[in-house]
Amino acid sequence: MAASDNDGAEPTQGSNRSSAALIGAAVAAGLSCLATPVAGVVGAAAVFVIGALGVLLAPLVALILFFGGGGGSADPVSAADDSLAAAQGDGKGTLDPDQVPEGLADSIEDAGKTCTQIGPVVIAAQIEVASGWDPAKVGPNGEKGISQLPPEVFTRYGEDTDDDGDTDAVDEEDSIAAQAKHVCALAGQAQALLDDGEAIGEVLDLTLAAYAVGIDEVRRAGGVPSTNAAQLYLAQVRSLFAKYQGLGGPPPSFPPTTSPSPASPSPGASGD
């Protein structure tokens, strides 16, 4: 599809990103549809139907390109392909620092190097799903901070990453580093299941499912469980890959960051 030539003007970067944002929304919507109860039953035989995403979303993307991308994007077909490829990919693409709160890009990049199975795009997408980047969020079971790790998980993996003399789940850098260690530990267990023939699928999908519902559920299912909890989490995280690779629209706004008080460390947190 060629860009409109009625005025000979070059398409702007903003219009390109607008089309990418629309396509990213289509990816998110299509992935969410895959996580409905019906899709869960249909997808059980194939573990997770991510491989068919392009076929399932083709009509929706075509409509977006026709109504939203015509004349505005230099190559909307390429933008659609890139967004779909990101959603289907391994999350190891280059992180767009403009898509994360100021000052956290380096921490997320470092977290993405904790193990070979997980990249920074995965870490960023998980944080958005967990807290929407709200460092003050408190979960229903005592989860704190932007990564929303269960207290016992943060106690296991939390360390004073930023050398401020405190280990606290409300500290963004401590939270991100603990999240990376947790997800990498799950990735190692998921890889072991694949190596032993106890599960089928992609290591990233198994890891994300284990993050959502536990590695024991993944083992029992022999792959990604067909439950809403497991498949919806995969859909939510994968739908954000394009955004954090810089394909999903202009930089967002974020809740203000909060610095934890040195006088009130998180109960039970340790750096073992």
Side-chain angles (χ1 to χ4, degrees):
M1 181 184 299
S4 172
D5 58 1
N6 55 0
D7 58 6
E10 289 294 324
T12 65
Q13 181 181 8
S15 63
N16 290 340
R17 292 176 73 87
S18 295
S19 293
L22 287 170
I23 294 164
V27 172
L31 280 167
S32 295
C33 289
L34 288 178
T36 61
V38 173
V41 173
V42 174
V47 184
F48 186 67
V49 201
I50 195 73
L53 184 60
V55 175
L56 293 174
L57 292 184
L60 184 56
V61 171
L63 287 173
I64 288 172
L65 296 178
F66 183 78
F67 289 108
S73 172
D75 190 356
V77 173
S78 177
D81 287 344
D82 290 345
S83 293
L84 291 173
Q88 294 173 297
D90 59 11
K92 297 179 184 177
T94 301
L95 177 72
D96 179 359
D98 290 337
Q99 299 298 325
V100 303
E102 185 177 359
L104 292 186
D106 287 345
S107 294
I108 295 167
E109 290 280 9
D110 289 343
K113 299 173 183 177
T114 303
C115 60
T116 58
Q117 298 95 333
I118 304 298
V121 170
V122 177
I123 298 295
Q126 286 187 299
I127 292 173
E128 177 164 333
V129 172
S131 70
W133 298 98
D134 182 358
K137 181 174 180 179
V138 177
N141 297 307
E143 303 91 345
K144 293 181 180 180
I146 59 175
S147 297
Q148 289 290 286
L149 294 174
E152 66 274 12
V153 173
F154 185 79
T155 297
R156 185 182 309 141
Y157 295 111
E159 295 181 359
D160 181 13
T161 306
D162 52 4
D163 297 323
D164 65 353
D166 195 16
T167 301
D168 198 319
V170 181
D171 184 306
E172 290 96 331
E173 294 184 8
D174 292 354
S175 185
I176 291 168
Q179 172 195 342
K181 292 175 184 176
H182 177 45
V183 73
C184 283
L186 292 173
Q189 296 177 63
Q191 185 63 60
L193 291 179
L194 291 171
D195 294 343
D196 294 342
E198 295 185 64
I200 59 173
E202 299 293 329
V203 66
L204 177 58
D205 288 342
L206 299 183
T207 301
L208 292 175
Y211 197 93
V213 300
I215 194 68
D216 288 340
E217 289 298 316
V218 173
R219 182 182 293 105
R220 279 191 282 270
V224 176
S226 59
T227 60
N228 279 355
Q231 295 206 15
L232 180 58
Y233 185 71
L234 262 69
Q236 290 174 316
V237 172
R238 280 190 172 277
S239 71
L240 293 167
F241 285 0
K243 171 182 177 179
Y244 288 107
Q245 288 178 214
L247 303 173
S253 59
F254 300 101
T257 58
T258 58
S259 299
S261 170
S264 56
S266 177
S270 64
D272 55 352

